[in-house]
């Protein structure tokens, strides 16, 4: 049984889709949801799903081993980032080499890096008048959005699409592909 922890900073819709996908799995279990924001709605989702949660501060994350201790307490084998906004510290990357993945709401290497998340990405895609966008699922290293790419999916954009319309198209790709790619990475 592979034990997964999900890190999220906000709403947590991807975290919920992942938890629901693996709910009846005999090989994968979501054992913990972590957030750096005590008001993040993902914590309410965790509660509704019956999954334990852990909240930490940015300082705790970067300057202590508290988060790693919590992961060890739950025997976490694999980490999934789902809308998590902090840079992963070196100690955590080293503790989970090739066992931590992230999803980015654009086709990396475009529209990635520090400060490029959520609506900011979709706004930039619209301003550049891109004909397509998509998602990138990649391994996590100690730089924003620079880990080895595992999977990308594209969606066509229409002239005049708003950032909200782009976000909706990208969310559909995330919900469709992220749980399956997680499963595939774990099984390989």
């Amino acid at each position: 049984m592979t034990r997964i922890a999900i890190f999220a900073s906000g709403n947590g819709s991807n975290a919920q889709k992942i938890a629901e996908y693996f709910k009846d799995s005999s090989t994968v279990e979501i054992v913990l949801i972590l957030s750096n924001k005590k008001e993040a709605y993902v914590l309410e989702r965790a509660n509704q799903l019956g999954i334990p949660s852990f909240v930490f501060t940015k300082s705790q994350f970067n300057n202590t081993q508290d988060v790693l201790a919590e992961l060890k307490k739950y025997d976490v084998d694999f980490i999934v980032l789902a809308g998590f906004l902090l840079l992963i510290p070196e100690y955590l990357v080293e503790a989970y080499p090739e066992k931590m993945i992230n999803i980015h709401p654009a086709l990396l290497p475009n529209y990635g890096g520090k400060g490029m998340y959520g609506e900011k990405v979709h706004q930039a895609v619209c301003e550049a008048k891109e004909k397509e966008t998509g998602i990138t699922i990649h391994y996590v290293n100690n730089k924003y959005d620079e880990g080895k790419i595992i999977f990308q999916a594209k969606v066509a954009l229409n002239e005049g699409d708003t950032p909200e319309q782009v976000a909706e198209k990208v969310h559909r790709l995330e919900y469709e592909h992220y749980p399956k790619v997680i499963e595939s990475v774990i099984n390989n």
Side-chain angles (χ1 to χ4, degrees):
M1 181 70 81
T2 301
R3 298 170 63 83
I4 293 181
I6 300 174
F7 283 71
S9 294
N11 183 31
S13 58
N14 267 313
Q16 181 169 341
K17 295 285 185 198
I18 293 163
E20 289 168 351
Y21 183 86
F22 289 113
K23 188 166 132 322
D24 298 317
S25 172
S26 59
T27 58
V28 174
E29 184 181 8
I30 308 303
V31 297
L32 185 62
I33 292 180
L34 303 95
S35 184
N36 60 308
K37 298 190 176 202
K38 64 180 185 290
E39 71 285 352
Y41 190 71
V42 71
L43 299 169
E44 177 58 32
R45 290 182 193 269
N47 187 43
Q48 291 169 5
L49 293 162
I51 300 171
S53 61
F54 180 72
V55 179
F56 54 89
T57 64
K58 184 176 182 179
S59 175
Q60 247 181 316
F61 192 50
N62 290 321
N63 304 318
T64 75
Q65 299 281 308
D66 294 355
V67 172
L68 185 57
E70 195 70 12
L71 294 168
K72 288 182 190 257
K73 186 170 110 180
Y74 283 89
D75 294 322
V76 170
D77 304 303
F78 197 86
I79 295 173
V80 172
L81 307 185
F84 185 69
L85 303 181
L86 297 180
L87 185 65
I88 303 300
E90 188 68 40
Y91 76 87
L92 211 49
V93 173
E94 288 173 3
Y96 289 91
E98 301 262 311
K99 301 231 180 278
M100 188 179 337
I101 64 175
N102 181 44
I103 189 164
H104 186 75
L107 298 170
L108 292 174
N110 298 327
Y111 308 107
K114 185 172 174 54
M116 288 304 282
Y117 59 88
E119 287 301 314
K120 294 178 181 187
V121 173
H122 307 312
Q123 184 70 44
V125 166
C126 287
E127 287 171 5
K129 298 185 183 339
E130 293 287 357
K131 302 257 188 273
E132 65 182 9
T133 190
I135 60 168
T136 302
I137 299 168
H138 63 90
Y139 287 107
V140 174
N141 62 18
N142 61 346
K143 294 190 173 90
Y144 283 110
D145 303 322
E146 290 187 18
K148 184 175 131 205
I149 293 173
I150 300 165
F151 176 87
Q152 289 185 312
K154 297 176 183 178
V155 63
L157 298 178
N158 301 315
E159 195 175 322
D161 273 353
T162 65
E164 294 76 24
Q165 289 168 315
V166 173
E168 195 176 302
K169 291 178 179 186
V170 168
H171 279 307
R172 280 198 296 269
L173 288 178
E174 290 173 346
Y175 301 155
E176 178 187 352
H177 294 288
Y178 204 16
K180 293 176 191 165
V181 172
I182 293 165
E183 187 172 49
S184 167
V185 169
I186 287 171
N187 289 336
N188 293 332

